[in-house]
Amino acid sequence: MSGNPERQDDGFARCAWLRVGELVSQFFRNRNSPDAVVKADTVLRFIHFDCHTATVQIYEHDFKKQKSHVADPAAKHVARNWVPLDASFVTKFGPLDPQSDPKQFVEWEVIAKAKASGSDHALSIVNVYHSVRKAPRGSVLELSIFSHAFVDGPVLFNTAAGTGDRRDPDDTDGRAATDFRADMGEAGAANANALDEFKKGFADTGTFRIWGCNIQDIVDTNPPPPQTQRRCLIMSTVREVVEASYAQQIRKGGALAQLLKNPKKLPPGSTKISLDMGRQINHERELQSDPHAGHGLTPFTIDRLFEIRYDEKFANHSYDSFFRGNGTPKAASPRSSPDRCRTSCSSWRRRPSPATSSSPRRHSRR
């Protein structure tokens, strides 16, 4: 599946075709393994739910004839690589029984009708869920979604979520809070065992991959009364620490960069790395107003972002004990003088302004 959250190009559809090439190569390489699910004479069918064109497409790969080769390996002309999956589709590889015919179990007709009605988001992740549920048992080797994503799931068209534990029928995007309940967020007796049906569509070695980013942490803020608790999003602290401790050091170059880049040997345990978290949090503040990043990062102040991460006192706060909570920042603005700490010392203690004072509780990432 390839998303279309910005509704302007086929970049994610190209990624989907590149994945087809990777999988063909991988399956062909392993074709003689005792536990191989794809053999040398297998015909493998790839189904593409393309949000950019609001169509469902199919590609059949004959390993006996084509081996590991796919056309257009660089995905420069991706529209040519697929054929429409609709009522006119006929396989080139002999008749199929109804249970194995993708025309019968893939939800292409619903999508075609929505497109014909003029919908600008005719294709939903629910169409994919339904198709996997109706697929022959154990037949799905991989479900991959190429699109933007955030902590709640993949973003196909960036539609609004429903409320409670129900999916909004007009919501196209993945929702971690509802999609993996027993009924997958859909009401009705026909959906009572939806999740079990979905899982049984996969082969024992099948995988469900979401290729979009997940760069948020969830924080529940508990402000002073009469305000009520609300869910907030901050940039993933793990991502910021990795960026500061590795990527930023590589860009700097020098002896430390060479140590970090060595694929055969870890740096000595005594190695000290300066983490410029002021720079990372300044960048997070910039992303709060960027419509193409963060998917709604809560506009906390710089001081509050430091305190949430490094100076909260409650159970299960992973970072307070690590940084020991005993640093005190200089009075200078973090924009002009970024705060720094070493992995062997504490982080900086930050005080919130009265308007933002609260006691957040961090949830584990979903």
Side-chain angles (χ1 to χ4, degrees), residues 246-259:
Y246 182 78
Q248 191 175 331
Q249 309 303 325
I250 297 298
R251 288 193 290 269
K252 286 180 182 179
L256 178 57
Q258 293 303 312
L259 280 175

Side-chain angles (χ1 to χ4, degrees), residues 50-326:
D50 185 0
C51 293
H52 181 65
T53 61
T55 59
V56 183
Q57 305 154 352
I58 187 169
Y59 167 69
E60 297 181 297
H61 189 87
D62 181 2
F63 281 90
K64 184 176 181 179
K65 180 179 178 181
Q66 297 170 265
K67 302 189 185 304
S68 63
H69 173 74
V70 296
D72 190 22
K76 293 182 179 180
H77 308 287
V78 67
R80 305 176 189 174
N81 303 329
W82 303 91
V83 298
L85 180 59
D86 55 24
S88 65
F89 171 75
V90 177
T91 180
K92 298 178 181 179
F93 302 97
L96 294 170
D97 62 81
Q99 292 77 22
S100 301
D101 188 344
K103 286 189 301 185
Q104 302 300 320
F105 65 82
V106 174
E107 202 166 78
W108 61 268
E109 193 169 4
V110 173
I111 297 164
K113 289 179 179 179
K115 181 180 181 180
S117 72
S119 173
D120 64 352
H121 51 282
L123 205 159
S124 168
I125 197 169
V126 175
N127 302 129
V128 179
Y129 293 158
H130 289 172
S131 300
V132 173
R133 287 169 58 186
K134 292 183 286 187
R137 305 296 78 185
S139 65
V140 179
L141 301 181
E142 179 174 300
L143 169 57
S144 277
I145 300 179
F146 294 90
S147 193
H148 291 313
F150 76 128
V151 69
D152 283 342
V155 181
L156 303 180
F157 286 101
N158 200 15
T159 50
T163 58
D165 59 2
R166 300 290 89 187
R167 285 196 63 96
D168 185 320
D170 200 45
D171 181 18
T172 66
D173 299 344
R175 304 292 173 187
T178 60
D179 292 1
F180 301 103
R181 299 174 60 88
D183 59 8
M184 300 187 77
E186 295 189 271
N191 297 305
N193 299 312
L195 184 59
D196 186 56
E197 294 169 2
F198 179 74
K199 292 190 292 185
K200 287 179 178 177
F202 286 85
D204 290 342
T205 57
T207 58
F208 183 0
R209 301 174 185 268
I210 298 172
W211 296 84
C213 300
N214 178 1
I215 58 169
Q216 298 87 14
D217 282 339
I218 297 174
V219 173
D220 284 346
T221 58
N222 297 290
Q227 301 178 70
T228 58
Q229 184 185 88
R230 68 188 181 107
R231 193 188 87 150
C232 300
L233 297 178
I234 63 174
M235 183 71 78
S236 164
T237 302
V238 172
R239 187 247 185 216
E240 290 190 346
V241 170
V242 170
E243 176 72 19
S245 62
Y246 182 78
Q248 191 175 331
Q249 309 303 325
I250 297 298
R251 288 193 290 269
K252 286 180 182 179
L256 178 57
Q258 293 303 312
L259 280 175
L260 295 172
K261 288 194 295 185
N262 188 337
K264 297 182 179 180
K265 185 178 180 181
L266 291 173
S270 59
T271 303
K272 292 186 176 181
I273 304 174
S274 293
L275 305 182
D276 188 351
M277 300 310 294
R279 177 172 178 171
Q280 295 299 319
I281 289 179
N282 279 327
H283 182 52
E284 179 175 354
R285 282 282 291 170
E286 295 169 354
L287 293 179
Q288 290 173 357
S289 58
D290 184 343
H292 302 294
H295 201 84
L297 292 173
T298 305
F300 288 116
T301 65
I302 289 176
D303 283 358
R304 193 72 187 99
L305 289 169
F306 268 94
E307 185 182 56
I308 288 169
R309 290 183 168 93
Y310 307 127
D311 198 34
E312 294 286 1
K313 299 294 191 296
F314 57 87
N316 197 33
H317 191 294
S318 302
Y319 307 114
D320 183 73
S321 59
F322 179 74
F323 286 98
R324 301 172 191 167
N326 61 359

